Amino acid sequence: MKKGLIYSAIILTVGSLFAKFVGVFLKLPLINIVGDYGIGLYQLPYPIYTTVLTFTMTGFSLAVSKQISYYHAEKNYRACKITFYTGLIIISSVSFLFSLLYVVLSKKIIEIFKWPQEAYVPYLSLAPALFLVSVQASYRGYFNGIKKMTIVSISQIIESLGRVCFGLLFCILLLKKGVQFSVAGALAGSSIGALFSLMYLVFALQEDEVINSSKNDAKNKEVSRDIIYESKNILLLTIYFSLSSFLMSIISIVDSLLFPYFMHLRRYDDKIISQLFGIFSGKAMTLIHVPLTFSVSMAVSIVSYVVATKQQKEKRELICTAFEYIILVTVPCCAAFYFFSDTIFKIVFFNAATGDSVLKISAFLTILISLVQFTTSVLQATGHFIAPVKSILTGVIIKIICMFVFVVIYNLNISGLVLANIICYFMVFVINLDKLKSFGFAHFNMLKMFYIVLSSAIMVIVGKAVLSVLKTSVFIEGVVMITCCTCIYFMCTLMFGILKVSTIKEFIFEVKRK
């Protein structure tokens, strides 16, 4: 079971990383084409967009996944089929309603939160994607539930390829009409990518043996009763999952809504505000979200595996293993972002390399956000839905207070925003961890944690030594440094027994078998 969990998380991570890597081919040219102001316009609508998707995509997908994972473990394939189609009908209806409201309220939202008027067209261009991405939730939830993560991973890659190819094309074609239209074209690529991804998921479902194996010999009354029962379960679970996910989105939406407001109180103009927010959200957080891909994948996988596990001891082992792997990935990435922020920025944002200091202080968010996502999913998977809601709500309140103090009173501008985020996520993690301990699900190997930190420290020392020796172009220095750091860290994890050769061989065998 533990091997299956790690395999599922890695497969989802590979797909997500590939999607993000492909996404770089949109984000980086976009930054170089439209500048910091344009990337600020690009990022402004996203918190609203992702908040709506919290219910229609994240919460709903997890609800379907949890139900189907339980029925699939019981080999009740008829219930799997009813759950999927019930979910598909519900999400199609709800997502259409949300998309309509998203368009109708557009001008009011821009007026209330004092966004630049140029944000109107980019905001509207995300409306079709809102519906298409949401409809995918039932499909992805189904395939996550039956643990066919490869299909979900491929769909992510297809969506990303479509978004980047068409987004970049529209961005260039519309540049002559103005920055706002160019940004809107880049965002419109999301709809094309989501359409292609949905078409692939529909095809994959037609080939699925679980859906096709269930017989349609039940009476109409029995089917109707089952549909009503599953509708109640899915909607209830969606509300539970969405509450936590919604509040997690609120943490991000507070940045987009209150940071410009607080900065206006300090008499900053719109252009400076958009540039600063673009550096944090469009540059620093873009890099930080790369390692977060693994924690998100693990958080998604842990739900279906914990639900399918009957014994408490096995659940604890799964949670402990997942936690260790998250630390294994995020700690060295945090160290790299902190100690090599200047080099990383120069490699990635070569034409707009300003803002490396923001990445440096934001580095700690790599670990904190990962741990918050994971502990929240564990609490939900074990049936404790309200606990993470309370902790995240507490974090949001603390963040708003900290933002006011740091940005308005102490005038720390973007640094104040980063510090408020760090304090917020730290408090949420501490509260979640305390809840997990009280429920008996927080038994971690502290010796492994120490070895991971030690391996990361050795990696940093080697990286600094490489940069001090090499005196060539920034790109070559960066590539050699990253390669050396990766190799040294991998060797240290093997030497300290964090990773085992047998585990790697088993994973390779599993990939070949699948």
Side-chain angles (χ1 to χ4, degrees), residues 58 106 164 167 178 182 185 203 223 255 288 302 326 377 417 437 457 481:
T58 308
S106 56
V164 171
S182 181
F203 174 78
V223 171
D255 295 340
I288 288 172
I302 197 72
I326 287 176
S377 288
L417 175 62
K437 285 181 178 179
M481 181 269 292

Side-chain angles (χ1 to χ4, degrees), residues 483-502:
T483 303
C484 291
C485 286
T486 303
C487 293
I488 288 296
Y489 183 72
F490 182 70
M491 289 170 60
C492 287
T493 57
L494 291 175
M495 183 176 67
F496 292 131
I498 304 168
L499 286 177
K500 295 180 180 179
V501 176
S502 58

Side-chain angles (χ1 to χ4, degrees), residues 43-113:
Q43 293 295 141
L44 278 176
Y46 263 108
I48 301 288
Y49 173 76
T50 53
T51 299
V52 178
L53 287 182
T54 296
F55 178 84
T56 58
M57 181 66 180
T58 308
F60 197 88
S61 180
L62 287 171
V64 173
S65 176
K66 189 176 189 296
Q67 285 296 92
I68 287 181
S69 179
Y70 174 78
Y71 291 134
H72 189 257
E74 299 290 329
K75 300 188 184 303
N76 188 349
Y77 300 140
R78 177 179 171 275
C80 289
K81 186 174 183 177
I82 290 176
T83 300
F84 166 74
Y85 283 111
T86 301
L88 182 60
I89 293 169
I90 294 172
I91 194 60
S92 298
S93 305
V94 172
S95 59
F96 177 77
L97 177 61
F98 279 155
S99 299
L100 188 62
L101 289 173
Y102 179 86
V103 173
V104 171
L105 299 176
S106 56
K107 289 186 178 179
K108 199 68 178 176
I109 288 172
I110 291 172
E111 180 185 340
I112 290 173
F113 298 116

Side-chain angles (χ1 to χ4, degrees), residues 429-476:
F429 169 64
V430 169
I431 297 171
N432 280 355
L433 186 62
D434 182 64
K435 290 294 181 182
L436 284 175
K437 285 181 178 179
S438 66
F439 298 139
F441 291 111
H443 302 281
F444 308 122
N445 190 329
M446 298 309 297
L447 184 60
K448 277 191 177 181
M449 304 295 111
F450 171 75
Y451 282 143
I452 290 171
V453 174
L454 180 59
S455 299
S456 300
I458 295 171
M459 178 197 75
V460 169
I461 293 171
V462 171
K464 288 290 186 182
V466 169
L467 289 178
S468 65
V469 172
L470 289 178
K471 299 298 178 183
T472 179
S473 68
V474 174
F475 180 79
I476 294 175

Side-chain angles (χ1 to χ4, degrees), residues 312 315-316 319 375 378-380 382-388 390 431-443:
Q312 290 292 99
K315 287 184 180 182
R316 283 195 294 268
I319 294 167
T375 52
V378 171
L379 287 168
Q380 292 171 333
T382 53
H384 303 100
F385 295 100
I386 302 302
K390 292 179 179 178
I431 297 171
N432 280 355
L433 186 62
D434 182 64
K435 290 294 181 182
L436 284 175
K437 285 181 178 179
S438 66
F439 298 139
F441 291 111
H443 302 281

Side-chain angles (χ1 to χ4, degrees), residues 97 156 208 213 227 230 251 254 260 264-265 269 317 327 355 484:
L97 177 61
Q156 291 173 332
D208 182 65
S213 66
I227 290 174
E230 286 305 325
I251 295 177
V254 162
H264 278 126
L265 295 179
D269 61 50
E317 289 176 353
I327 295 296
C484 291

Side-chain angles (χ1 to χ4, degrees), residues 401-430:
I401 295 171
C402 289
M403 278 183 67
F404 180 81
V405 172
F406 294 147
V407 177
V408 179
I409 297 177
Y410 288 99
N411 193 24
L412 297 178
N413 56 69
I414 198 65
S415 297
L417 175 62
V418 176
L419 290 172
N421 273 284
I422 290 172
I423 294 171
C424 167
Y425 283 110
F426 176 76
M427 291 304 301
V428 176
F429 169 64
V430 169

